[in-house]
Amino acid sequence: MNRIEFWFEFASTYSYPTAMRIEAVAEKSGVQIVWRPFLLGPVFRKQGWDDSPFNLYPAKGAYMWRDLQRVCDRQGLPFNKPSAFPRNGLLAARTVCRFADEAWVPEFVRQIYRANFELDLDISSRDIVSQCLVSLGQNPEEILEKAEDAESKEKLKQQTERAEQLGIFGAPSFTVDGELFWGNDRLEAALEWAGGVQ
Amino acid sequence: MNRIEFWFEFASTYSYPTAMRIEAVAEKSGVQIVWRPFLLGPVFRKQGWDDSPFNLYPAKGAYMWRDLQRVCDRQGLPFNKPSAFPRNGLLAARTVCRFADEAWVPEFVRQIYRANFELDLDISSRDIVSQCLVSLGQNPEEILEKAEDAESKEKLKQQTERAEQLGIFGAPSFTVDGELFWGNDRLEAALEWAGGVQ
């Protein structure tokens, strides 16, 4: 089956509408998704940024929030500007990295994005991540103990390094073999590149 | 008639596919275009950049050239990566600013973009700008004398300041009353905002 790798960061604003729609859109195209969380922090630091470019460049940031509202409106997706931005999605990213093949992962990803961009909850909090796991019928203690161990830390570190090697500089991104697509707007082009049904 | 303002910079890569398609797409939507050239240089300098961000951030730049090739391919548009980037479109921008209401302006805009992104010609050269005017049956001496006078310089300066006041930080951009849209991908959304037929 054809597949795309979906590279996302839980703090990333435009990754929210993508995360909420990608499974349905990919299924319709007959393309499989590989969920690839990574961290934008190290990627941005190499570009000389110690914060989100949306905070460092206020005109771009102001536009992004307005545009994101319009994008969510068009998608029929609830959106509330988070009271803190960017939020640290480290624990959630390690969780997805460690349990990548589990059936509950796609819904967990959506729950974390909803927590951040719909419900304005602090996704860096262990409690919030636990609540998302509980809502999926999972055992948070068992899962988070593993998500916080050395193996999970190393997995996410390596995945972030692989993102950089693939030329990824922002999120959401999609790769199809070596071909890179960046932005929620490029999901359809990436699926087409993967041989998806149009 | 409903209208959108189209803000472009002759050096801007993604403004090329937009400039080549906007007239046809807008006409189909029943929306009028106001052609608004401006300069990205002063806008970028205020963000601390003395060059195109595509040169300052190599990963982003490498992606952009690849993505632009794909975008042009999908649009059936010839594209050749310019051997110099960004090229100075000052004279061409002053020309459009000064003669904004002339019927030859849209085709002149397309000729300059083709010179830069299809034919790899130096659009900062007076000769190249002249040739574009000649190909439209215009008198280049007469036009360029006016394009280089104080009035034209002031017009373009004011238009660039107005762009910044509208929150514009990149090109292509579109404004519909106060509403801002950024990027070739947002043309359809801007036309819809303007009440265009879908």
Side-chain angles (χ1 to χ4, degrees):
Chain A
M1 191 184 186
N2 301 329
R3 60 176 223 167
I4 63 169
E5 294 180 75
F6 168 38
W7 297 84
F8 57 97
E9 141 80 72
F10 284 110
S12 156
T13 53
Y14 285 109
S15 295
Y16 168 52
T18 304
M20 301 305 282
R21 73 193 185 96
I22 190 170
E23 206 169 41
V25 178
E27 195 175 336
K28 218 169 155 185
S29 298
V31 173
Q32 192 187 341
I33 307 159
V34 185
W35 300 77
R36 298 279 193 218
F38 74 110
L39 297 181
L40 274 175
V43 177
F44 284 167
R45 272 193 291 279
K46 284 185 189 163
Q47 296 178 49
W49 299 332
D50 59 0
D51 194 354
S52 163
F54 294 129
N55 289 338
L56 294 172
Y57 303 107
K60 196 163 187 166
Y63 171 77
M64 178 276 292
W65 291 116
R66 177 64 185 147
D67 187 56
L68 185 62
Q69 177 73 65
R70 289 189 309 233
V71 168
C72 290
D73 286 350
R74 287 171 83 103
Q75 201 171 315
L77 199 61
F79 169 70
N80 291 293
K81 186 180 169 184
S83 52
F85 174 81
R87 283 197 173 112
N88 188 331
L90 184 63
L91 179 58
R94 284 177 177 161
T95 304
V96 174
C97 228
R98 178 60 173 269
F99 294 93
D101 299 327
E102 298 291 332
W104 51 264
V105 159
E107 186 57 28
F108 175 73
V109 170
R110 288 188 288 267
Q111 291 278 355
I112 297 288
Y113 275 109
R114 286 190 58 210
N116 197 2
F117 294 104
E118 178 187 345
L119 307 170
D120 192 19
L121 297 171
D122 181 10
I123 58 164
S124 73
S125 144
R126 208 176 190 278
D127 279 355
I128 298 296
V129 177
S130 291
Q131 284 170 30
C132 290
L133 289 165
V134 168
S135 76
L136 303 171
Q138 299 302 312
N139 180 334
E141 285 317 311
E142 205 176 288
I143 287 171
L144 293 184
E145 197 188 319
K146 284 190 182 168
E148 284 166 328
D149 72 13
E151 186 184 330
S152 299
K153 290 179 187 181
E154 185 58 27
K155 266 185 196 287
L156 180 60
K157 194 172 161 244
Q158 284 183 10
Q159 193 144 289
T160 297
E161 282 165 8
R162 199 177 144 235
E164 290 182 84
Q165 285 157 9
L166 286 164
I168 289 172
F169 55 91
S173 289
F174 316 97
T175 51
V176 181
D177 302 319
E179 193 77 12
L180 173 61
F181 297 83
W182 172 55
N184 179 50
D185 304 312
R186 289 291 181 279
L187 174 56
E188 282 72 15
L191 291 169
E192 190 179 341
W193 199 272
V197 181
Q198 293 308 297
Chain B
M1 192 183 187
N2 302 329
R3 60 177 223 166
I4 63 169
E5 295 180 74
F6 168 38
W7 298 85
F8 57 98
E9 142 79 73
F10 284 111
S12 156
T13 54
Y14 285 110
S15 295
Y16 168 53
T18 305
M20 301 305 282
R21 74 193 185 95
I22 190 169
E23 206 170 40
V25 178
E27 196 175 336
K28 218 168 153 184
S29 297
V31 173
Q32 192 188 342
I33 307 159
V34 185
W35 301 77
R36 298 278 191 217
F38 73 110
L39 297 180
L40 274 174
V43 177
F44 284 167
R45 273 192 290 278
K46 284 187 190 164
Q47 297 178 48
W49 299 333
D50 58 359
D51 194 353
S52 163
F54 294 129
N55 290 338
L56 295 172
Y57 303 107
K60 196 163 188 166
Y63 171 77
M64 177 276 291
W65 291 115
R66 176 65 185 146
D67 187 54
L68 185 62
Q69 176 74 64
R70 290 188 309 232
V71 168
C72 290
D73 286 350
R74 288 172 82 102
Q75 201 171 314
L77 198 60
F79 168 71
N80 291 292
K81 186 181 168 182
S83 53
F85 174 80
R87 283 196 173 112
N88 188 331
L90 184 63
L91 178 59
R94 284 178 178 160
T95 303
V96 174
C97 230
R98 178 61 173 269
F99 293 94
D101 300 327
E102 297 292 332
W104 51 264
V105 159
E107 187 56 28
F108 175 74
V109 170
R110 288 188 288 267
Q111 292 279 354
I112 296 288
Y113 275 109
R114 286 190 59 210
N116 197 0
F117 294 104
E118 179 187 345
L119 307 171
D120 192 18
L121 297 171
D122 181 10
I123 59 164
S124 73
S125 144
R126 209 176 189 278
D127 279 355
I128 298 295
V129 177
S130 291
Q131 285 170 30
C132 290
L133 289 165
V134 168
S135 77
L136 304 171
Q138 299 303 312
N139 180 335
E141 286 316 311
E142 204 176 289
I143 287 171
L144 293 184
E145 197 188 320
K146 284 191 183 166
E148 284 166 329
D149 72 11
E151 186 183 331
S152 299
K153 290 179 186 181
E154 185 58 26
K155 266 185 195 288
L156 181 59
K157 195 172 159 243
Q158 284 182 10
Q159 194 144 290
T160 297
E161 282 165 9
R162 200 178 143 233
E164 289 183 85
Q165 285 157 8
L166 285 164
I168 289 172
F169 54 92
S173 289
F174 315 97
T175 51
V176 181
D177 302 318
E179 193 77 13
L180 173 62
F181 298 84
W182 171 56
N184 180 50
D185 305 312
R186 288 292 181 279
L187 173 56
E188 282 71 15
L191 291 169
E192 190 180 340
W193 200 272
V197 182
Q198 294 308 298

